[in-house]
Amino acid sequence: MIESSSPPPSRPFGPNDRVAAIWHLLWSLGVAVLLGATAFGLLTSDRLVQAGLATGLIPGLTGLALWRPRAPPFRLILAGLWFAAATVAVALAGGLAGPLATWTFAPLLAGLIIGGARERALAATGSVVAVAVGLAIAVSSSPPGQPLLSGLAALLLVGSAGWSLLVAVARNEADAASEHALRRRLEQILQAQPLLSLRIDDQGRLLSAFGRGQAGVDLADLTGEGIFGAAEARDRLPLRAAIDLAVTEGEARARFVPLRAMDRLFEAALRRLPDGTVLAVLRDVSDQQAREAALDAARQEAETLHQGKTRFLANMSHELRTPLNAVIGFSDMMRQRMFGPLPDRYLEYANLIHEAGEHLLDLINDVLDMSKIEAERFDLARQRFDARDPVSAAMRLIRLQAHDKGVDLHGGFPVDPVLVEADKRALKQMALNLLSNAVKFTPRHGSVTLSMRIDGSILEISVADTGVGLSPADLERIGRPYEQAGGSDQRRQGTGLGLSLVRSMAELHGGTLAIESRLGEGSDFTLRLPIVDTSARPTAEVVPFPGTAGADPA
């Protein structure tokens, strides 16, 4: 079903048989010319040399049969003929001292052109034997010494040349075999992959295919119209554009409905290959698209519900605060005995009602502020004022809570006014939330320190405590709505909106909230707000908050 890009050759290594046949033809023609020249007296020779030349025709003419495919034994027989013919020819022509001495190389060359390890070994042996026979004849028919030296030199030359050539060819064949094996393994891996990989040209025509067929894609369609044959008609133009993009940019993706399965959806991942062709990997993404659609629908539903909740809370501000203010107001009148004395038990109840009402009002205010921010209905009332005023007011409000818990409260402010352009209530709320959070997580005899400094147009407010600190896991969560840290006692004291309100209000002012903390060593929360009026340049001197542990700065 899957077309392979390179079918395995019938013989994995060795030269082409027709090339070998042409070589034998040229050899035979050359020998025939020499025979004709000696027969007509153009070249001087005796009958033994002519017999040697005739012997050399035998393997040459036999090798012409390689023009047609032959069984492997034929090449081995042909190498044996070269072995015998060269030995006989050299012997008839007078050995190494005769005119055919160079024919000792003929078997070696023939073996290389015929191919095959056994054939080359037999032919190379024929060259060595021909040299040995020629050397023996030359020594026996000539004065000793002169032919022996030339014969041994020829034997050394043939032996070394043959060895070198055989080693070189063997290495080339080994490399070729290794490369072929690697290619086959890669093809097998590609064939076994679960996806369908196509190699196409820049026009989308199919060159090769690997992998498993996909439901809805028939390779018969691909062989006719290329990759476009797999796509429904309306998706072929986008697929064409994706191929052009992959050719120019290197890669592209396109989704299409398959022609034979219009209820499915496929994605083609396209990448340009070094040879200019394009690799296209087809993948069925129908299930993935269904999951993406379900997730998108769930996300939209969640956003709709979230926006509905946010709008509800933001619009319920008046309805929630009005009765609660009445509860707080009437309980306060009862605490102050404005209409006469109350029994001690009723007075205790009135105090509890007032405290619970104020706590509930604080929680509702936090929830409503966060809902307004999430609904993008929180408008900053920017005005020009001294930033020390709302921050010091926040310290005054938190001082009683710090005193009751046994926590020392410290503060430092610039000497000169710090003129800013910001929302005064929001700045006070941010400072109050940071101080309240620090006091809540600081044990008795600990300390909380607020410092204010100016860096160009940046107002920096830092609140540091010696409390329980935050773990790395808490640091990742803290600052998100409704996320709380610490033990159960601390978690019961709030909604987890304090720090998220600080962060959100800081971002509305274009600022940031940075948190540094180590478990068991305390925390440092730093607000950086770009709200300072740079036309007024406050001094760098910082004065402490009056009364380190109890005095009121008012």
Side-chain angles (χ1 to χ4, degrees), residues 12-14 120 165-179:
F13 46 79
R120 287 196 301 271
L165 288 174
L166 291 175
V167 169
V169 170
R171 286 177 178 173
N172 290 337
E173 289 183 351
D175 293 341
S178 176
E179 181 180 353

Side-chain angles (χ1 to χ4, degrees), residues 93-170:
L96 295 182
L100 301 183
T102 55
W103 278 26
T104 55
F105 282 99
L108 176 61
L109 297 176
L112 292 176
I113 199 69
I114 292 171
R118 292 182 302 170
E119 289 83 352
R120 287 196 301 271
L122 180 59
T125 304
S127 289
V128 174
V129 171
V131 171
V133 171
L135 177 60
I137 293 174
V139 170
S140 63
S141 61
S142 300
Q146 179 181 354
L148 180 61
L149 178 60
S150 59
L152 292 176
L155 182 62
L156 177 61
L157 176 62
V158 171
S160 61
W163 176 264
S164 300
L165 288 174
L166 291 175
V167 169
V169 170

Side-chain angles (χ1 to χ4, degrees), residues 349-546:
Y349 291 163
N351 287 328
L352 293 175
I353 292 171
H354 188 268
E355 291 177 3
E358 286 189 332
H359 180 65
L360 182 59
L361 182 60
D362 290 338
L363 298 181
I364 290 175
N365 286 336
D366 287 346
V367 173
L368 293 176
D369 285 342
M370 180 56 67
S371 299
K372 284 185 177 181
I373 292 174
E374 291 178 346
E376 298 182 354
R377 295 181 55 183
F378 191 96
D379 298 324
L380 295 177
R382 291 183 178 272
Q383 56 181 309
R384 196 165 182 264
F385 58 92
D386 184 355
R388 299 178 304 173
D389 295 339
V391 176
S392 61
M395 290 196 71
R396 286 195 296 271
L397 288 175
I398 208 68
R399 177 162 300 284
L400 181 60
Q401 178 183 343
H403 180 272
D404 292 342
K405 195 174 180 183
V407 174
D408 291 337
L409 186 62
H410 308 275
F413 298 86
V415 174
D416 295 329
V418 181
L419 298 180
V420 297
E421 188 78 21
D423 187 314
K424 189 173 185 178
R425 186 187 73 84
L427 184 58
K428 178 181 177 181
Q429 186 68 35
M430 287 187 282
L432 184 62
N433 285 4
L434 290 178
L435 289 168
S436 175
N437 186 76
V439 170
K440 179 170 66 175
F441 287 98
T442 301
R444 181 174 294 275
H445 305 307
S447 64
V448 174
T449 302
L450 181 145
S451 59
M452 177 187 294
R453 61 183 296 270
I454 302 167
D455 182 10
S457 64
I458 304 297
L459 173 64
E460 187 175 286
I461 301 174
S462 177
V463 177
D465 62 65
T466 60
V468 296
L470 296 170
S471 66
D474 287 336
L475 275 175
E476 293 180 2
R477 297 183 300 101
I478 206 71
R480 296 200 295 261
Y482 307 104
E483 291 286 353
Q484 294 177 285
S488 57
D489 292 340
Q490 288 90 359
R491 292 173 185 265
R492 284 196 295 267
Q493 298 180 34
T495 59
L497 290 175
L499 288 179
S500 61
L501 278 172
V502 174
R503 188 185 296 277
S504 299
M505 290 180 177
E507 291 173 353
L508 288 175
H509 283 87
T512 60
L513 172 65
I515 305 174
E516 296 181 3
S517 181
R518 295 187 65 180
L519 192 62
E521 298 182 11
S523 305
D524 189 348
F525 297 83
T526 302
L527 270 176
R528 289 179 58 83
L529 307 173
I531 58 176
V532 176
D533 184 356
T534 55
S535 61
R537 296 184 177 275
T539 64
E541 182 181 357
V542 176
V543 296
F545 187 77

Side-chain angles (χ1 to χ4, degrees), residues 15-25 63-64 66-67 113-115:
N16 185 276
D17 286 344
R18 290 193 175 183
V19 174
I22 294 174
W23 184 88
H24 282 82
L25 175 61
L64 295 178
L66 291 174
W67 189 261
I113 199 69
I114 292 171

Side-chain angles (χ1 to χ4, degrees), residues 306-317 319-320 368 371 377:
H306 179 69
Q307 292 173 358
K309 179 265 297 181
T310 301
R311 286 194 298 269
F312 170 77
L313 291 176
N315 293 330
M316 289 295 292
S317 174
E319 286 76 6
L320 290 173
L368 293 176
S371 299
R377 295 181 55 183

